[in-house]
Amino acid sequence: MQLKIMPKKKRLSAGRVPLILFLCQTISALEVPLDPKLLEDLVQPPTITHQSPKDYIIDPRENIVIQCEAKGKPPPSFSWTRNGTHFDIDKDPLVTMKPDSGTLIINIMSEGKAETYEGVYQCTARNERGAAISNNIVIRPSRSPLWTKEKLEPITLQNGQPLVLPCRPPIGLPPAIIFWMDNSFQRLPQSERVSQGLNGDLYFSNVLPEDTREDYICYARFNHTQTIQQKQPISLKVISVDELNDTIAANLSDTEFYGAKSSRERPPTFLTPEGNASHKEELRGNVLSLECIAEGLPTPLIYWIKEDGTLPTNRTVYRNFQKTLQIIQVSEADSGNYQCIAKNALGAIHHTISVTVKAAPYWIMAPQNLVLSPGEDGTLICRANGNPKPRISWLTNGVPIEIAPDDPSRRIDGDTIIFSNVQERSSAVYQCNASNEYGYLLANAFVNVLAEPPRILTSANTLYQVIANRPAFLDCAFFGSPLPTIEWFKGAKGSALHEDIYVFHENGTLEIPVAQKDNTGTYTCVARNKLGTAKNEVHVEVKDPTRIIEQPEYAVVQRGSTVSFECRVKHDHTLIATVTWLKDNGELPNDERFTVAKDHLVVTDVRDDDGGTYTCVANTTLDDVSASAVLSVVAPTPTPAPIYDVPNPPFDLELTSQLDTSVQLSWTPGDDNNSPITKFIIEYEDAMHEAGLWHHQAEVSGTQTTAQLKLSPYVNYSFRVMAENSIGRSLPSEASEQYQTKAAEPDKNPTAVEGLGSEPDNLVITWKPLNGFESNGPGLQYKVSWRQKDGDDEWTSVVVANVSKYIVSGTPTFVPYLIKVQALNVVGFAPEPAVVMGHSGEDLPMVAPGNVRVNVVNSTLAEVHWDPVPLKSIRGHLQGYRIYYWKAQSSSQRNRRHIEKKILTFQGSKTHGMLPGLEPFSHYTLNVRVVNGKGEGPASPDRAFSTPEGVPSAPSSLKIVNPTLDSLTLEWDPPSHPNGLLTEYTLKYQPINSTHELGPLIDLKIPANKTRWTLKNLNFSTRYKFYFYAQTSVGPGSQITEEAVTTVDEGKMAGILPPDVGAGKAMASRQVDIATQGWFIGLMCAVALLILILLIVCFIRRNKGGKYPVKEKEDAHADPEIQPMKEDDGTFGEYSDAEDHKPLKKGSRTPSDRTVKKEDSDDSLVDYGEGVNGQFNEDGSFIGQYSGKKEKEPAEGNESSEAPSPVNAMNSFV
């Protein structure tokens, strides 16, 4: 079995996203942890931890340091070989080895030469468990040789010709870096025309006169020795063909000529590489560099393609003006043919480079350390690849395995060593060597056979703080052989955690994928193998995440104004938060115009350069969060008027300090919309008992953002908050999280407790039950208790369900009881309830009131007296006394049967009462009964009484019939209520003249038995008014009035006036009478003249034209309307039809046949302007010119636009 061992844990700094309190350990399954306590007694073979590179180029001016560090238990000893043989450092005084290390220090600065110590070195670290070896370290001193001296002749070249200036630097170690400069150490400018090749030469595609100079200098820089070597300067002169011919003879012996071809344009040819094809070989992982440089005129451009493929997008780089193609991290897949194309206006050429990618050995699976317990099995696997395929060879403790001591527990199978039934002697260090012609790989891997009980390496009682809703990793680094099993527990007596919620890593780490508040607590890690058990406790605290609850918002402000960015942060109260502001991801300008307060950044006197992105960063030791907003600065514009509205709803409600009977609610106010918030209203919902109903909880001032709320037990609370300002109340906020309080005993008892019997032998106890909110817990019940008030009985109690009444049977009739009702639930009882008094059921009273007496006050009122009944005989609550009375028969009508009985009830214990509304001159009978809650008792003996006479009512009717020139006949019906014996009738009448003045009043007595009377010797054609009433011995009754007119002569019909209420008809015509009067004719003439004048004025005004408001146009256009004079106030009124009393419409005409026709339309825009071309201005008034129409088309032939004549006006009166 393979035992996996973990290293020391690594941690992330706080504030990373996602935040991880500690990293899952990098599992190196074959490395023994470097725990000091563990290493004190744990045996381990050596392991090379640090060594110098394989190809080690040293600076010959400094001491040589060859590194070799290793670990192991016991600490390893070190030895070296040089060029394959033992290197005895004790014999060389210049060589020393660092204490507790294998690192060699060769002191060549005082004496000796670096070349003396060139060679191949190898380090061996050895202890009792095995030996580990280092790579072969090749030591070579760096070299920076000088250029060989040479004579460089000046170069003269025709304009437009190609040129290559050779560099040919000396061969150094490592190779030099080449660049071209002038005498002033300024780099020579390069372009698509002039560039440096990979070999260091300077290539000109074509030369120009400006290329003429005497200081083309090639420099070689050797970085290892920090030296620069310089080539002799090269002189170049570019001349035209004519200048060249003039100087040939004089300089023929002194100057080298590079051709004398014409500088005419030419197609491209390659300066490098030569020919049409070439080959390039590169090692895997290196940078592949392909180069093509061409000459031509004009300067050619270079393009690259890969035959049968595409260039890798993310690894391809073009350099040197696209003359060099580089592929980074080249692999075997990049092998193939690459083609470079040089093109100018005269043609194109191409060159094919065949690329082969070889590979030095590289690991597919390097061997890993094995820690096994005795008797276990394991394998070492060593797999590598390369081109060509590398050869695998094994060594044990630095010796080829073929010649190493035999071990029966191991077997070699190619690249794998198989171990079975290992024992402690099987411990050793194995080396795997993979090599081909391009290099080698060497890896050490030990096999350590141990028998160790479990050990937990994580510090005890480690505290892990994690942000809520983020993953948490609890460390349990362990060691043991055999491999221990790991279990996690939560709490002191918790059960083992399972993978349905948690993630268990092989290295013992427990992952909580999404940490919540309830994950806070103590966790125990237990490691077990067959040799023992180990455990460790760690603690977890889950913190609230840091949030920016009011973020900065995009702002557009005017230059010179002030802007404020809000950044309100909410964080866990146990952490300290710091807020930092950035501008464009950098620090804020050091300017006093920038003011940073607790929750906001203020920038005053804003300038154009203040625009940008402002970021608020909130940090705690565990997390950080940021929010940004852009500020745009614009020129000043008129400031719009502020908009006033109700506040925006509060948001971000949070419950803290959660206790059994209280909780703290906090919130963030919304925008007050330019009206300060005056108060916050807090409501709650009980999702358990009344889901969906919100109740008032509390109110706080508008400056508060927190409230301490008192809670009731056993309620599932949710809260919401509303803000209020002078405009009104905001919408409610989103509901807070739910919080359920624990159950408790009821803190109140039911109210409205009553005891009333429904039957004579029971007691019905009722109460108002507690609602679910008041129950304080499940299982609400009531303990009902009762006993007689005046007895010595003990309380009788019964517990009932959540109901509202209980009936006690078998009680005496109407006995007082003491009652109490107490609430209880599964937790306990409410406080002791108050005691109330009730009574058992009532029964009907047994005794009638006695000594009933009646005193008649007047004809309509009587007073009744009686003696009270004994209280015991009432057998219930006394409600009062009830009088039944009825009219037996009238004194004037002895045979008439009595009508229904009337009832009057007198509350309480009254012993007298008044009977109003009696009829005069009537006989009445009454009796009295006592009333309780059950009903009425027996009636007292009937008591009779009579009322005296009264005045009569008005006669039922009065009619005037048979009018003549000098007489009128009156007919009437007697009063419906004579209220006694009628003695006579009285008739009074008087004449009315034409001016409505009343004449002398005449009084006439008529016998009571008459119902008709004729008045004679009256004036003809005269109106009379009559007053008529009846009398008893008490006095006169109400009167009735009527009017009538005597006729003019017998040949004319008498008009009938409209009757008054109850009046009869008369045949005399009042209208005909008025029409014959002179005053009436004069009045009509004056009215007609006035109307005519008004019509003339309107007509003149109508024809003046011009612009008028619509109202004036309507007034001028409307037909004149003639209205009759009202009698009451002398004003003109509208004629009303006698049947429906509806006024005529404005502008109507009344024909002579008294028919009225409805006009088509009263208002039309066509009447006011030229057809439909009239216009309206913005306020709705008409702005078109009046057309000056002088008449309106008649509608239905019954209307004319002409002014109405006086005759028509007169017809409207008749």
Side-chain angles (χ1 to χ4, degrees), residues 456 476 478 484-490 495-498 504 508 510 523-528 533-536:
I456 294 179
C476 184
F478 64 93
T485 59
I486 300 297
E487 282 187 301
W488 281 92
F489 300 85
K490 182 181 179 184
S495 58
L497 304 180
H498 301 289
F504 300 96
L510 172 67
Y523 292 78
T524 303
C525 166
V526 179
R528 294 186 179 92
T533 301
K535 65 179 181 179
N536 185 41

Side-chain angles (χ1 to χ4, degrees), residues 766-788:
T766 61
W767 60 88
K768 182 181 179 181
L770 302 182
N771 57 36
F773 181 83
E774 298 169 330
S775 65
N776 287 4
L780 177 63
Q781 294 179 304
Y782 300 99
K783 179 183 178 182
V784 183
S785 305
W786 67 92
R787 69 179 178 87
Q788 287 192 25

Side-chain angles (χ1 to χ4, degrees), residues 220 405 969 1072:
T969 300
V1072 174

Side-chain angles (χ1 to χ4, degrees), residues 950-952 1030-1037:
V951 296
Q1031 281 184 281
T1032 65
S1033 61
V1034 176

Side-chain angles (χ1 to χ4, degrees), residues 990-993 995-1001 1024-1025 1027 1043:
Q990 59 188 151
I992 304 175
N993 63 17
T995 61
H996 298 282
E997 294 178 352
L998 299 175
L1001 184 65
Y1024 287 90
K1025 186 167 186 178
Y1027 310 90
E1043 292 185 15

Side-chain angles (χ1 to χ4, degrees), residues 369-493:
N369 294 336
L370 280 179
V371 178
L372 302 175
S373 60
E376 288 187 330
D377 301 335
T379 57
L380 286 179
I381 301 174
C382 178
R383 289 178 185 164
N385 201 1
N387 187 9
K389 183 76 175 177
R391 183 179 65 86
I392 303 295
S393 60
W394 289 96
L395 298 88
T396 177
N397 296 328
V399 178
I401 201 167
E402 294 82 7
I403 62 175
D406 187 37
D407 184 352
S409 65
R410 71 171 180 244
R411 178 172 58 88
I412 300 174
D413 185 6
D415 58 6
T416 303
I417 300 180
I418 302 171
F419 297 91
S420 58
N421 192 24
V422 297
Q423 301 301 320
E424 188 171 353
R425 64 177 179 277
S426 302
S427 298
V429 182
Y430 291 83
Q431 290 82 33
C432 173
N433 185 297
S435 60
N436 65 10
E437 60 186 275
Y438 297 105
Y440 73 94
L441 293 173
L442 178 67
N444 290 276
F446 63 68
V447 175
N448 195 13
V449 181
L450 295 173
E452 293 289 335
R455 306 185 190 191
I456 294 179
L457 309 180
T458 301
S459 299
N461 296 313
T462 301
L463 175 62
Y464 297 105
Q465 294 180 328
V466 63
I467 296 297
N469 299 319
R470 296 185 183 177
F473 295 86
L474 309 187
D475 188 10
C476 184
F478 64 93
F479 175 76
S481 180
L483 180 68
T485 59
I486 300 297
E487 282 187 301
W488 281 92
F489 300 85
K490 182 181 179 184
K493 298 181 180 180

Side-chain angles (χ1 to χ4, degrees), residues 316-368:
T316 300
V317 180
Y318 296 99
R319 301 192 185 279
N320 198 18
F321 308 99
Q322 210 153 328
K323 298 173 186 178
T324 302
L325 168 68
Q326 288 185 337
I327 298 179
I328 301 170
Q329 289 292 324
V330 67
S331 65
E332 290 86 338
D334 296 318
S335 298
N337 293 329
Y338 293 79
Q339 194 175 95
C340 64
I341 302 168
K343 181 186 294 186
N344 67 6
L346 276 69
I349 59 171
H350 68 272
H351 181 93
T352 301
I353 305 175
S354 177
V355 174
T356 301
V357 178
K358 299 292 186 177
Y362 57 90
W363 291 119
I364 295 176
M365 180 182 293
Q368 303 293 312

